[in-house]
Every structure is written in C-alpha cells, then in structure tokens.
C-alpha cells in the first residue's frame, strides 16, 4: 500500500521553486510514494481544476515508474462531489469568493443557487462602501450588473478613499518640507555658533599678535565670519517664515483628513 505522504513532499518541492525559480521535479521516493487518488481528491475538494500531470509523468518515467492518471481523476471527481455541496456554495458566496465551474450537472444547479443566496449577503451596499473606503480592489464576485447598489456604494467609498489619499500625499509633502527646512535652520545655527567661536579665537589672536600681516588676515577673517552670520541669520528668518506659513497648511490638511476619516 502506498503511504499518503505525497502532499507534504510536494508542498516542500513547490516551496523550493519560489526560492530558486526553477521547475520542481519529483524524485524517485516521491514517485514511489505518491497516492494519486488522494492528490486528486484533495484538488477536487478544494474546487481546483484537474492539474496537468505531464511533468510528473516525465519525472517518474525516468525511474521507470508510471503515474496513475486514472486514480487521480477518480479521486478528483470524488473531491468535486464534496466541494459541490450547497452549504459549501453558500459559504463561498457569503465570503465573496469566486469558484471554478467544475460541478457536474446534477450538482451544479443547487450549488449555484446556494452560492447566489450567500452572495446576496456579501454584496450589500454597506460592505461595498467599506471596501471602497479602505482602498480594496473591487470584488469580482459582485458584478455591477447583478449588484448595482453595491457597485455604487463601492465607488462612493473609493472616491472618499482617493480624496483622503490625495490629501495625505499633500500632507506628506508638506511634512517633508518642514523637516528639511528645520534641518537647514539647525545646520545654519550650528554654523553660526562655530562662526562666533572663530570670531572669539580671532580676537584673542589679534590681541597678542604683533605681526601686521597676520593681524590683517585675522581681521579679514573676522569680517567674513560676521558677514556669514548676517547671511545665515537672514536665511533662517526666511526659512522660519516659510515654515510658519506651511505649518498652517499642514494643520488645515490634518483637519480635513480627520474630518473625512471620521465621516463613515
């Protein structure tokens, strides 16, 4: 009897695909241990289409092992019967999920009918508004033709979401401007502080120096330091005035966003 350990092995193999980017291949142990009926049953019960077994067949043929397609299909059909029950259809609809059209004719009508009943509970205007308001993608299950009220509510919520996003983008830009200009003011103040230190040092050097040329150079440096202090103070004054102005814009945007976020 084959051991039912194939699914964990295949999951590990598929996980490696995501890490390496290569196509997974079955090894000899997997080919020997796979329960094809169980694999098919699992796929069917999850509402999946039949998988393409071509690669598996090629892999196992290298070890002279033949895969059992018939058992896979048999298991898949059994799993489909489990999937296509009305209660499952209702649950999928209530969760707003879509499904593959795999149910046989004798189960399709009751499954679809139950699914539509569940969908009516999901595709309601309040939910549509909330989804749009949160920036979610429009759910495929709630087609605008079948649920126009839901679609209108979703669009209204999405419009509000976009308005807030636009205001937030403006606020982020202003926050960045304020941060950058405050940093510039701080840098200017540091430079001014260093300039005063240089002035103090230059004055001390002038007081003790008897070299005319050196004293001349030190006095020129003093003038340069004073000029720099005046220039940076004026620059800071302009920066602070601009920060004060855009801070008002910042507060206005914050208030607008708060109002729109509280308006549900």
């Amino acid at each position: 009897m084959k051991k039912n350990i194939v699914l964990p092995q295949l999951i590990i193999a598929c996980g490696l695909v995501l890490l390496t980017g290569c196509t997974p291949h079955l090894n000899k142990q997997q080919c020997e241990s796979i329960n094809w009926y169980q694999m098919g049953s699992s796929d069917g019960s999850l509402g999946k289409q039949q998988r393409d077994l071509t690669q598996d067949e090629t892999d196992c043929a290298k070890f002279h092992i033949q895969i059992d397609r018939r058992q896979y299909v048999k298991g898949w059909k059994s799993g489909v019967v489990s999937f296509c029950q009305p209660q499952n259809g209702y649950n999928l609809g209530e969760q707003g999920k879509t499904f593959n059209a795999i149910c046989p004719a004798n189960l399709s009508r009751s499954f679809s009918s139950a699914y539509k009943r569940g969908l009516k509970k999901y595709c309601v205007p309040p939910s549509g508004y909330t989804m749009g308001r949160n920036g979610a993608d429009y759910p495929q299950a709630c087609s605008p033709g079948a649920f126009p009220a839901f679609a209108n509510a979703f669009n209204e919520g999405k419009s509000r979401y976009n308005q807030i996003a636009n205001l937030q983008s403006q606020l982020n830009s202003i926050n960045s401007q304020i941060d950058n200009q405050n940093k510039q003011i701080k840098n200017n103040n540091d430079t001014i502080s260093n300039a005063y230190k240089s002035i103090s040092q230059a004055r001390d050097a002038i007081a003790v120096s008897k070299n005319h040329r050196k004293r001349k150079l030190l006095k020129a440096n003093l003038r340069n330091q004073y000029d720099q202090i005046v220039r940076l103070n004026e620059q800071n004054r302009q920066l602070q005035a601009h920060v004060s102005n855009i801070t008002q814009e910042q507060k206005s945007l914050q208030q607008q966003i708060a109002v729109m976020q509280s308006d549900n």
Side-chain angles (χ1 to χ4, degrees), residues 126-182:
S127 296
Y129 180 84
T130 299
M131 291 179 200
R133 177 70 173 68
N134 291 336
D137 293 331
Y138 191 89
Q140 294 181 3
C142 305
S143 65
F147 300 97
F150 175 91
N152 290 337
F154 178 90
N155 291 335
E156 182 182 349
K158 198 60 173 285
S159 176
R160 179 57 59 90
Y161 170 83
N162 289 334
Q163 290 173 355
I164 292 175
N166 180 53
L167 291 174
Q168 187 62 55
S169 177
Q170 295 178 53
L171 179 60
N172 291 342
S173 176
I174 287 179
N175 288 340
S176 179
Q177 291 181 56
I178 291 174
D179 287 344
N180 290 336
Q181 293 187 11
N182 282 333

Side-chain angles (χ1 to χ4, degrees), residues 5-17:
I5 59 174
V6 59
L7 294 180
Q9 292 175 332
L10 290 180
I11 290 172
I12 292 173
C14 291
L16 292 175
V17 175

